[in-house]
Amino acid sequence: MQIKIARLSDPKPSEITPESTYWNRRQWLSGLGYTGAMLALTGSAASAQAQSPSPWEQLLQQKLASTAPDPDPIDETLTPYEDVIRYNNFYEFGTGKGDPVANSKRFKVEPWSVRIDGAVQKPFTLQLEDLIKPHALQERIYRFRCVEAWSMVVPWVGFPLAELISRCEPTASAKYLRFETLVDPQRFPAQGFGRSTIPWPYVEGLRMDEAQHPLSLMVVGVYGKVLPAQNGAPLRLMVPWKYGFKSIKSIVRISFLEQQPPTTWERLASQEYGFYANVNPEVDHPRWSQKRERRLPNSLFDPNWIPTRKFNGYENEVAHLYAGMNLRKLY
Ligand code: MTE
């Protein structure tokens, strides 16, 4: 993972959607009952698709229009939409922060399916529509902290991973979940011959109790809109108390396992990236101090450093999951 402090692709202040504009727009749209129609015009993943929306897009737009507000929103300034969708890590599109937005313009979500297998009553495959049909969407405003020591506050839209887990009917031997990203060089150019930087597929994992925690979210939208390709369309994970690399994007397979699965960054550099990857200001990464973070938006002259909080500020909610564990060793 690389880091660049100032980027040519940095949005100008005038391009940034202020938080107040977002909230006013939401209130206005929902007041008029137009949210679905407007989102159909503005959803960036959708706009890359064919003219007439597919059944999946229609269903997603409908669901987004009735997203429930975050029941317990954190009182922190949202990172502007333009930063959330332009400052990304998604190696399938390239290693630069601006590569995902630049190289995903022609990304097509469909066809897409998610395979559920391993320690479940019966393996099965979910097509996109079936994936979200039974779930009511919720907004969750989460702090999001990358191991590279930058952070954001993002209004994600999704549904609890616990709901999907119960649909999968895991057996008693299921102790871990393993997630896998699509491998398709047609859609992910940096997976093409001679261009790969890391082994594919990108793989992540969670312990079962972490996955069932109410904060663990399957994300399909952001800022009330369809999740853009560069942020992991059509489906990504969000685990807000862990470093961002755990939040795997563009998922096509979820396996229930008895053993802890090897994960991408842990396999590449286990002395730097652990399986747990809980945000922890007391344990530094060899290249990045984890004591503080640059809260986006920032600039070279105003880096906006803030102290990092244990479990990214979710200590009350999740510390019990790690009682008795040595978090210096199990980082
Ligand atoms: N998922 C896949 N498949 N490929 C990736 O390169 N990068 C991870 C994570 N999920 C990554 C991924 C890292 S390092 C981070 S910090 C977050 O995605 C970034 O999410 P964002 O671009 O939406 O901010």
Side-chain angles (χ1 to χ4, degrees), residues 1 84 87-92 144 146 150 152 156 181 198 202 230-231 236 244-250 265:
M1 283 178 242
V84 175
Y87 189 86
N88 300 103
N89 274 337
F90 200 168
Y91 276 31
E92 286 83 343
F144 182 55
C146 179
W150 52 264
M152 304 188 186
W156 303 108
T181 296
I198 58 174
Y202 192 101
Q230 63 269 29
N231 292 91
R236 76 174 297 176
F245 67 86
K246 295 295 288 183
S247 292
I248 181 171
K249 297 175 169 180
S250 304
W265 287 103

Side-chain angles (χ1 to χ4, degrees), residues 123-295:
F124 61 101
T125 301
L126 281 167
Q127 300 304 324
L128 271 182
E129 284 169 80
D130 299 333
L131 189 68
I132 57 163
K133 219 174 250 168
H135 305 284
L137 298 184
Q138 316 171 5
E139 182 160 72
R140 297 281 189 86
I141 300 172
Y142 284 161
R143 285 179 286 273
F144 182 55
R145 168 66 156 83
C146 179
V147 73
E148 296 164 340
W150 52 264
S151 67
M152 304 188 186
V153 178
V154 184
W156 303 108
V157 180
F159 56 89
L161 174 55
E163 287 183 9
L164 181 59
I165 292 176
S166 60
R167 285 174 74 193
C168 300
E169 300 188 288
T171 64
S173 60
K175 303 281 185 290
Y176 293 89
L177 270 74
R178 176 186 181 278
F179 302 85
E180 197 176 293
T181 296
L182 176 73
V183 180
D184 179 357
Q186 298 295 323
R187 286 193 262 187
F188 290 133
Q191 289 178 335
F193 183 71
R195 298 200 49 200
S196 289
T197 45
I198 58 174
W200 316 112
Y202 192 101
V203 170
E204 259 310 332
L206 292 174
R207 222 170 52 190
M208 191 67 155
D209 58 347
E210 297 178 316
Q212 287 172 317
H213 191 283
L215 287 173
S216 296
L217 201 67
M218 295 310 304
V219 170
V220 293
V222 64
Y223 263 96
K225 303 182 194 190
V226 174
L227 191 68
Q230 63 269 29
N231 292 91
L235 179 76
R236 76 174 297 176
L237 179 66
M238 188 48 58
V239 195
W241 69 94
K242 293 179 179 284
Y243 293 119
F245 67 86
K246 295 295 288 183
S247 292
I248 181 171
K249 297 175 169 180
S250 304
I251 296 166
V252 287
R253 185 175 172 198
I254 303 176
S255 309
F256 290 80
L257 304 175
E258 282 181 49
Q259 307 290 334
Q260 183 178 307
T263 54
T264 293
W265 287 103
E266 191 196 7
R267 280 177 55 202
L268 284 168
S270 59
Q271 71 287 3
E272 298 191 13
Y273 309 104
F275 176 82
Y276 283 95
N278 293 317
V279 175
N280 190 348
E282 292 155 24
V283 179
D284 281 339
H285 181 277
R287 274 172 291 135
W288 299 289
S289 162
Q290 301 299 350
K291 291 182 184 56
R292 58 181 195 157
E293 64 205 48
R294 290 183 298 119
R295 174 62 56 84

